[in-house]
Amino acid sequence: MEWTGLNELREKYLSFFESKGHLRLDSFPLVPNNDNSLLLINSGMAPMKKWFLGQEEPPRHRVTTCQKCIRTPDIERVGITARHGTFFEMLGNFSFQDYFKREATAWAWEFLTKVLEIPAELLYVSVYEDDDEAYDIWTKEVGIDPSHMVRFGKEDNFWEHGSGPCGPCSEIYFDRGPEHGCGKPDCKVGCDCDRYMEVWNLVFSQFDSDGKGTYTRLERPNIDTGMGLERLACVMQGVGNLFEVDTVHNILNHVERITGKTYGRDHATDVSIRVITDHIRSTVFMVSDGILPSNEGRGYVLRRLLRRAARHGRMLGVTRPFLAELCDTVIRENGGAYPELVEHADYIKKSISAEEERFSRTIDQGLNILSNLIDNIEKAAAEGKRRVLAGIDAFKLNDTFGFPLDLTKEIAAENGIEVDEDSFRTEMQKQREKARKDRLSRDISGWTADLFGALDASATEFLGYGTLEAEAKIVALSDGDELTDAVSTDDGAKEGVLVVLDRTPFYAESGGQVADTGVIATAGGAHLAVTACKKTPKGYYVHTCTLLDGVVQAGDKVIASVERDRRHAIMRNHTGAHLLQKALREVLGAHVHQAGSYEDDERVRFDFTHFNAVTPQELAEVERIVNAKIFEALPVHIKVMPLKEAKELGAMALFGEKYGDIVRVVDVEGFSTEFCGGTHVSNTAELGCFKILSESSVAAGIRRIEGTTGYGVLRLLDEKSDMLNQTAGALKVSNIHDLPARAAALTAELRSVQKELDDLKQRQTAMKASGLFEDAKDVDGIKIFTMYLTGTATDALRKLCDNARDKAPASVTAVIGEAEGKTTLAVAVGKEAQARGLAAGKLVKEIAAVAGGNGGGKPDFAMAGIKDTSRIDDALNAVPGIVKAALV
């Protein structure tokens, strides 16, 4: 066996399995695709679950990969030992209902002993204690010496996770030599010492588990193998741990150069060097796959790793940001296998550098505060008090200085101090409820206040009442998570870019009216598509954008242009809402008040107080009034005036809303006057027409009407016309005006046909029932009637069973019927049969269980559902035996 580099080992493995007919796939991204069960990809098979479960057809039934993985449960242990790491690569060869144990074991042995030339005497194999098949294949076919075979129980050599595919596994171990052992005479594979290193795990997915201890053998089993590339490199390079493997050690050497420290001389120094080495590997790969630092989910994992690495750099005396420098080495060592690292190099370094700089701005002050807190705890401990850091203090460190709880815990633990985590979480929950209520839905109304809350600039000037295009300047810019000076499209269009302008024509979502959309173009040629706009409490209009091309920077001069047609459609619907409210009050009464509204370019949704469903006649009258005011072409006036004056005019206020001293009033001349900050047409004639689409209940005492105006009405008419024409064609009617008569005639015909069909089914069931008695079996004097009927509903089954039970008191009737996709078992027991201990409720459970069903009922009649229709015959054939066993 020769020393082999990690990158060469990866290629040898993938090429070997390509020669065995496997399709080589690139590593899947670390972010799971359509799998909410995982935060990050943590194994080779994780991205392929859909193929193992048969939910999708794989590109080939033999696949091989080297999958990048992140595992985070032991982050606190990383660095403390040389064993733990967060990033690793998993080699795997997979069979989706193709080859099985013989091929998997033979190829594994061939790769290790022939390709890598590892001496066979240094390899050991474990199998599941009951897997004689695997044991025989290894010893009799592959040729393993039985002294190198071990059997382990379910805990060690049986892979399963809840219900679904599972099976025994076989693990291959490498003997590192007695110098790595514990010295005990009985030291062997499975010992806790470091002598025997597990290298490769072959999982034989041959069962389907119900999660309750029942295992059904799969007709077409799978193979799932996993071998840690770094572990294999340890074997081939004769080193003790992953930090000594060539590619990782080169990163470690770079850490040594930056810090001026030498690895291997001091335990505390070694811990910090290992932390930095491991974490920079993980973070480079995570950022390359699109993960950005945040306070939630996988973004929090990234932030936690970066800040932990930065802190350990400071512990080694590095006070400047340095992590971005290490990126070059990580990319150089891994870029051949993962070209995306090279492609995204600048983006990776910029993202990591920005996060480290953010942390650097506060870490010194935070460390000083934490040090003082620890000193106080030490003094209190001398007086007999507990060594505990209060949760509120840990929260302030997190909230003010960006210290993750885990970092505070780690520093506290180094000083023998616990952290009150329960109180910390209580404070965190209070903060979330106060400032981030809409965080999960990505509603920027809460978190932009955090992002732009410290911005030292005047509030945005809104120009959108008078113009739809304006010159402006970018006051602040964010990539969606943090403030930044620039955003570019180096990696393609960039979504979630947040832009604050000094002045804007874009209406910010409020009062039920949706935000404008449009374009922001910079003088340098960059274009941003505006998809939303919100206003922060400090008055900043935050435009949510997709950067389509170029580079956008804070301070850029821009042209902001609102999408005109969409804005005008929104204005029509908003003015329509005002007309609708007034019409509802005229038709239904003065108790009607607005309880909520929504206006976009397609519809108006208006919620109002009312205690009964609005009748069709009332709706028709409301619609007539609104359209009458549209056809009258009433002018719409916008006025800004003192609140008192507006109230004297009779302006309608939003129910329960508080207003300032100066208010904006929308007055539809001679008809409606309301407080409103939205955008409106200048004349009701611009609405064109109004149509109610629906009326419904929202809550007790709250009704909802949805309607549309202008082009929305035209689209509705087109849809109705198309529907009528299609219906006329289907019913073979040349004139749509003849549709009502044709529909009535067809309904009458269908009733007649249905009656004939019901009569026919009854006659068929009666004929089948007459044959029921001809095939009766006799079990100790009890007549057994069984039958399977298709197209027979439960009512017919019940009648048939009642008839048989009445005619034959010493009988058991079991009939299975299927109708409309539902399969049902009905069982009836006559009086004389009941007297001999038979009960329909008990019998139906046992019979149905044969076909995976369940049910119950009374002693004379019971029913059950049948799940496995392929076993209907088995269930009916089992009836005589079940009856015989139940007889008294």
Side-chain angles (χ1 to χ4, degrees):
M1 82 189 254
E2 296 182 356
W3 187 98
T4 311
L6 181 141
N7 288 319
E8 185 181 352
L9 282 173
R10 185 195 299 109
E11 182 56 36
K12 281 189 173 186
Y13 179 90
L14 296 173
S15 296
F16 173 79
F17 279 99
E18 278 187 307
S19 74
K20 303 298 183 184
H22 291 65
L23 173 65
R24 181 198 296 214
L25 294 178
D26 291 335
S27 173
F28 292 85
L30 286 168
V31 179
N33 181 31
N34 297 323
D35 184 356
N36 294 327
S37 67
L38 283 178
L39 195 65
L40 294 159
I41 293 298
N42 59 7
S43 69
M45 66 80 64
M48 296 184 255
K49 285 195 294 187
K50 55 186 177 294
W51 298 338
F52 279 104
L53 296 172
Q55 296 170 344
E56 290 184 14
E57 178 67 17
R60 192 181 295 176
H61 285 262
R62 296 182 181 186
V63 166
T64 185
T65 64
C66 183
Q67 176 63 46
K68 50 195 175 186
C69 303
I70 297 281
R71 288 185 184 171
T72 58
D74 296 319
I75 287 180
E76 293 83 0
R77 298 293 298 166
V78 173
I80 295 176
T81 73
R83 281 184 170 187
H84 291 85
T86 56
F87 177 83
F88 63 97
E89 297 178 69
M90 183 68 77
L91 300 168
N93 56 283
F94 309 93
S95 166
F96 309 109
Q97 302 92 46
D98 189 340
Y99 63 82
F100 199 45
K101 292 182 184 179
R102 281 186 169 82
E103 295 87 345
T105 53
W107 291 337
W109 193 251
E110 179 183 350
F111 178 72
L112 293 175
T113 61
K114 303 300 182 185
V115 177
L116 299 185
E117 299 180 342
I118 299 175
E121 60 268 22
L122 297 181
L123 297 174
Y124 288 76
V125 177
S126 70
V127 296
Y128 177 51
E129 58 188 359
D130 294 336
D131 194 356
D132 295 331
E133 178 188 13
Y135 185 90
D136 290 343
I137 290 173
W138 278 116
T139 56
K140 297 177 181 178
E141 298 182 24
V142 178
I144 305 295
D145 187 327
S147 67
H148 280 233
M149 295 290 301
V150 292
R151 292 177 183 261
F152 289 137
K154 198 169 185 180
E155 183 177 345
D156 296 303
N157 274 68
F158 195 95
W159 186 93
E160 67 177 321
H161 186 73
S163 60
C166 61
C169 59
S170 184
E171 297 177 331
I172 303 174
Y173 296 81
F174 175 77
D175 182 2
R176 302 175 64 206
E179 65 273 19
H180 294 281
C182 57
K184 296 178 182 178
D186 60 347
C187 181
K188 59 182 178 181
V189 173
C191 183
D192 290 335
C193 69
D194 293 333
R195 176 171 178 175
Y196 298 97
M197 177 191 292
E198 178 198 332
V199 178
W200 204 342
N201 188 12
L202 314 179
V203 179
F204 311 131
S205 298
Q206 64 191 63
F207 298 111
D208 184 15
S209 170
D210 65 357
K212 300 177 181 178
T214 301
Y215 300 93
T216 305
R217 197 171 185 98
L218 295 170
E219 292 184 12
R220 302 182 68 188
N222 304 309
I223 287 291
D224 163 24
T225 81
M227 176 161 58
L229 178 57
E230 291 86 353
R231 284 200 179 190
L232 181 61
C234 286
V235 170
M236 297 306 296
Q237 296 177 18
V239 298
N241 59 69
L242 72 93
F243 293 98
E244 298 174 17
V245 169
D246 60 333
T247 57
V248 183
H249 199 257
N250 288 336
I251 301 168
L252 186 148
N253 288 339
H254 195 171
V255 176
E256 289 180 306
R257 293 194 300 272
I258 289 175
T259 61
K261 305 295 183 181
T262 301
Y263 185 70
R265 293 184 180 178
D266 174 74
H267 174 70
T269 297
D270 290 352
V271 168
S272 293
I273 291 175
R274 285 194 291 260
V275 167
I276 297 167
T277 301
D278 171 80
H279 289 5
I280 195 62
R281 292 179 76 218
S282 296
T283 54
V284 165
F285 277 91
M286 292 173 74
V287 173
S288 178
D289 280 350
I291 301 170
L292 289 173
S294 70
N295 288 330
E296 294 177 354
R298 58 184 69 95
Y300 177 70
V301 174
L302 175 59
R303 172 163 284 168
R304 183 179 171 190
L305 292 171
L306 282 171
R307 295 190 169 186
R308 190 168 188 256
R311 184 220 167 205
H312 277 274
R314 286 174 172 265
M315 292 172 67
L316 296 179
V318 184
T319 57
R320 62 176 176 81
F322 70 97
L323 294 177
E325 299 173 38
L326 294 171
C327 295
D328 289 326
T329 304
V330 178
I331 293 168
R332 184 184 68 246
E333 296 296 327
N334 298 277
Y338 302 100
E340 64 269 21
L341 297 179
V342 178
E343 181 183 347
H344 301 157
D346 290 341
Y347 171 76
I348 293 169
K349 289 189 287 186
K350 183 176 180 180
S351 299
I352 289 176
S353 179
E355 176 63 18
E356 187 178 13
E357 288 173 1
R358 278 190 289 268
F359 190 44
S360 295
R361 286 195 290 266
T362 58
I363 187 172
D364 287 333
Q365 190 175 356
L367 284 172
N368 288 334
I369 291 174
L370 180 55
S371 178
N372 291 333
L373 290 169
I374 290 173
D375 288 343
N376 292 334
I377 293 171
E378 298 281 7
K379 293 175 183 176
E383 299 174 1
K385 295 183 179 179
R386 289 181 62 203
R387 301 171 64 85
V388 177
L389 178 68
I392 185 65
D393 291 328
F395 169 76
K396 288 178 180 177
L397 284 167
N398 176 276
D399 191 48
T400 307
F401 302 106
F403 269 51
L405 174 63
D406 306 279
L407 181 55
T408 300
K409 285 171 57 182
E410 185 173 332
I411 296 171
E414 291 168 0
N415 293 273
I417 295 172
E418 297 180 15
V419 177
D420 185 351
E421 295 185 52
D422 291 339
S423 295
F424 171 84
R425 293 191 179 93
T426 298
E427 295 299 324
M428 286 292 289
Q429 186 60 33
K430 289 179 182 176
Q431 184 207 46
R432 290 192 186 99
E433 291 173 358
K434 182 179 180 181
R436 295 177 181 254
K437 290 182 179 179
D438 299 323
R439 176 62 169 160
L440 291 177
S441 63
R442 303 296 292 178
D443 183 345
I444 69 169
S445 61
W447 52 273
T448 47
D450 294 338
L451 284 173
F452 303 109
L455 191 61
D456 185 18
S458 300
T460 303
E461 180 185 1
F462 177 59
L463 308 172
Y465 291 135
T467 182
L468 298 183
E469 184 172 288
E471 294 181 356
K473 184 177 76 172
I474 295 178
V475 173
L477 187 64
S478 169
D479 59 7
D481 285 286
E482 302 286 346
L483 292 178
T484 184
D485 292 330
V487 180
S488 70
T489 55
D490 292 341
D491 302 318
K494 174 76 173 176
E495 297 182 350
V497 178
L498 305 178
V499 178
V500 175
L501 300 178
D502 62 341
R503 56 209 303 264
T504 184
F506 285 86
Y507 182 83
E509 177 185 329
S510 64
Q513 180 177 324
V514 298
D516 287 328
T517 57
V519 175
I520 296 175
T522 72
H527 292 84
L528 299 118
V530 180
T531 56
C533 184
K534 285 185 177 287
K535 185 179 179 182
T536 73
K538 290 184 69 174
Y540 300 127
Y541 279 59
V542 181
H543 306 74
T544 301
C545 309
T546 297
L547 179 59
L548 302 175
D549 53 62
V551 179
V552 60
Q553 296 179 310
D556 280 350
K557 291 185 177 180
V558 301
I559 299 294
S561 305
V562 172
E563 186 180 342
R564 292 177 179 273
D565 289 346
R566 183 173 180 274
R567 163 68 88 83
H568 286 304
I570 296 169
M571 290 162 60
R572 286 192 290 269
N573 283 330
H574 199 159
T575 304
H578 284 222
L579 298 178
L580 175 60
Q581 176 170 222
K582 179 63 174 177
L584 284 167
R585 287 173 65 85
E586 288 191 357
V587 173
L588 302 179
H591 64 277
V592 169
H593 283 277
Q594 179 179 330
S597 70
Y598 173 88
E599 300 90 22
D600 62 17
D601 55 320
E602 294 185 349
R603 60 178 174 148
V604 51
R605 186 182 71 209
F606 189 77
D607 297 346
F608 58 99
T609 53
H610 189 56
F611 307 99
N612 302 296
V614 185
T615 66
Q617 295 78 13
E618 289 170 335
L619 286 175
E621 179 60 12
V622 168
E623 190 177 275
R624 186 197 67 77
I625 292 173
V626 173
N627 281 305
K629 298 306 172 184
I630 292 172
F631 300 152
E632 289 178 24
L634 301 174
V636 179
H637 305 289
I638 308 295
K639 304 172 184 177
V640 177
M641 62 181 69
L643 176 62
K644 182 179 179 181
E645 184 180 336
K647 288 183 175 180
E648 290 173 352
L649 286 175
M652 282 281 296
L654 188 62
F655 196 71
E657 184 74 5
K658 293 183 179 179
Y659 294 92
D661 293 335
I662 303 298
V663 293
R664 186 170 182 267
V665 175
V666 177
D667 177 41
V668 179
E669 190 173 289
F671 184 66
S672 165
T673 307
E674 294 186 33
F675 291 39
C676 184
T679 61
H680 291 270
V681 299
S682 60
N683 190 290
T684 59
E686 295 176 44
L687 273 65
C689 192
F690 173 78
K691 183 65 182 175
I692 292 176
L693 303 175
S694 64
E695 191 273 344
S696 61
S697 172
V698 177
I702 305 293
R703 308 297 300 182
R704 170 174 294 171
I705 284 179
E706 294 199 8
T708 189
T709 63
Y711 289 108
V713 177
L714 294 180
R715 284 193 295 271
L716 180 66
L717 290 173
D718 288 341
E719 290 170 6
K720 298 288 187 185
S721 295
D722 289 343
M723 190 185 303
L724 287 171
N725 288 328
Q726 290 174 20
T727 305
L731 297 180
K732 296 181 173 54
V733 174
S734 58
N735 191 324
I736 61 173
H737 296 290
D738 295 331
L739 277 174
R742 177 60 176 154
L746 276 177
T747 301
E749 290 177 26
L750 285 173
R751 288 200 190 99
S752 176
V753 170
Q754 186 63 49
K755 186 176 184 304
E756 293 178 9
L757 184 60
D758 291 342
D759 292 342
L760 179 60
K761 284 183 177 180
Q762 288 182 7
R763 289 196 296 272
Q764 286 179 329
T765 301
M767 291 173 63
K768 291 175 181 178
S770 64
L772 187 68
F773 302 102
E774 298 174 4
D775 298 324
K777 295 181 177 64
D778 189 287
V779 175
D780 292 347
I782 300 297
K783 295 292 184 183
I784 308 294
F785 307 132
T786 61
M787 182 174 287
Y788 172 54
L789 301 171
T790 58
T792 307
T794 54
D795 287 345
L797 293 180
R798 180 184 289 274
K799 289 180 181 177
L800 193 154
C801 285
D802 289 346
N803 184 41
R805 184 186 58 217
D806 294 343
K807 287 186 176 182
S811 69
V812 171
T813 304
V815 185
I816 295 178
E818 181 277 325
E820 298 180 356
K822 183 179 180 181
T823 304
T824 305
L825 165 67
V827 174
V829 178
K831 288 185 178 180
E832 294 180 14
Q834 292 178 50
R836 296 188 59 185
L838 300 178
K842 294 181 180 179
L843 293 176
V844 79
K845 289 183 179 180
E846 293 189 47
I847 299 168
V850 176
N854 192 19
K858 298 179 180 179
D860 63 334
F861 181 78
M863 302 185 82
I866 296 295
K867 292 183 179 179
D868 188 353
T869 56
S870 67
R871 301 202 63 189
I872 287 175
D873 288 342
D874 294 338
L876 293 177
N877 291 335
V879 174
I882 292 172
V883 170
K884 185 176 180 66
L887 280 169
V888 176

